[in-house]
Amino acid sequence: MKDRLTLTLGFLGAFQDWRGGSWEDALRRHTTWIFPSRARRAAFQHLRDEIEQAPPFETLDLRMAGYSWGAWTAIELARIVKEHPARVHPRLVDRTLDVRLGLLDPVGTLRMRLRVPHDVPIWNVYQQNGCYRGCPGLSQWYRGRPIPGALLNHDATLEGREQPIRDGVPPDRAPDHIQMGYRGWGGHDARMAAVLSEGEPPPLT
């Protein structure tokens, strides 16, 4: 019996499926399965299909990475897999479920209350400067947040201080939400996306 079935899923931010950006580029280096920010149903069906077609396995090795609302969706899907495996597929009953998450600037504005699954390694990088411009609504709607119980909660809020203006964003507002997911600020997008292929991010340099 094959020991592990490894599946990788990436989730974009809101509207990023047509706007592109550094996060999408980073994901494409590690997976072919990339979903819009709220495509939980489509991702769920993809998991079911892959599990249905897979040869026998003892362990599901599920790795997901998401940005903004997509990070929220990855957390929600991880909770379903861990807490209700039979809902995903009957083959997951009595199997080992190894789920890992790489998150970039998770934003929960207008989303359901966050329920973090137990026993899931999570690496998270976020900012709390909001969105300086280019986002609908209020800037504070786009503040990222730490995730309870994560192995890494790296707060990048102050990384733009004492630096020149970049992308038209003043240093006291950088990095903002757009810079994190569209401009590759600090290489954090590449690090979180690497969870898909490496199982954990490379260390901060």
Side-chain angles (χ1 to χ4, degrees), residues 19-193:
R19 293 177 66 184
S22 63
W23 176 246
E24 183 174 6
D25 295 339
L27 289 178
R28 292 194 183 282
R29 291 193 286 269
H30 300 281
T31 185
T32 57
W33 293 103
I34 301 174
F35 296 88
S37 64
R38 300 198 65 184
R40 191 178 77 177
R41 186 185 300 272
F44 186 91
Q45 186 60 52
H46 170 69
L47 283 181
R48 288 183 60 90
D49 293 344
E50 290 294 307
I51 293 165
E52 178 70 31
Q53 299 167 17
F57 61 92
E58 289 286 353
T59 300
L60 173 64
D61 181 2
L62 175 59
R63 306 171 185 182
M64 295 185 285
Y67 159 63
S68 188
W69 268 9
W72 213 261
T73 298
I75 295 170
E76 292 175 344
L77 189 56
R79 183 182 57 80
I80 293 173
V81 171
K82 292 291 286 186
E83 298 179 4
H84 307 284
R87 285 178 53 191
V88 183
H89 198 282
R91 294 184 72 185
L92 294 186
V93 177
D94 298 325
R95 293 293 183 264
T96 300
L97 305 175
D98 184 2
V99 182
R100 295 164 175 260
L101 300 178
L103 307 180
L104 182 69
D105 218 19
V107 170
T109 301
L110 304 179
R111 299 297 299 273
M112 292 176 8
R113 180 175 64 87
L114 179 66
R115 290 189 286 167
V116 181
H118 298 294
D119 194 29
V120 171
I122 299 174
W123 294 270
N124 176 41
V125 178
Y126 67 98
Q127 58 74 41
Q128 296 193 315
N129 293 313
C131 182
Y132 181 66
R133 61 185 178 189
C135 303
L138 302 176
S139 173
Q140 57 262 35
W141 290 356
Y142 301 91
R143 290 175 179 163
R145 57 164 293 176
I147 301 301
L151 294 178
L152 172 73
N153 273 311
H154 177 77
D155 186 351
T157 300
L158 302 180
E159 289 185 3
R161 308 305 189 267
E162 310 301 327
Q163 294 196 27
I165 292 177
R166 288 173 52 179
D167 310 308
V169 181
D172 63 343
R173 297 288 300 278
D176 78 341
H177 188 61
I178 295 295
Q179 288 174 317
M180 293 287 284
Y182 287 84
R183 306 296 186 189
W185 181 280
H188 295 308
D189 55 348
R191 293 182 61 242
M192 294 302 103

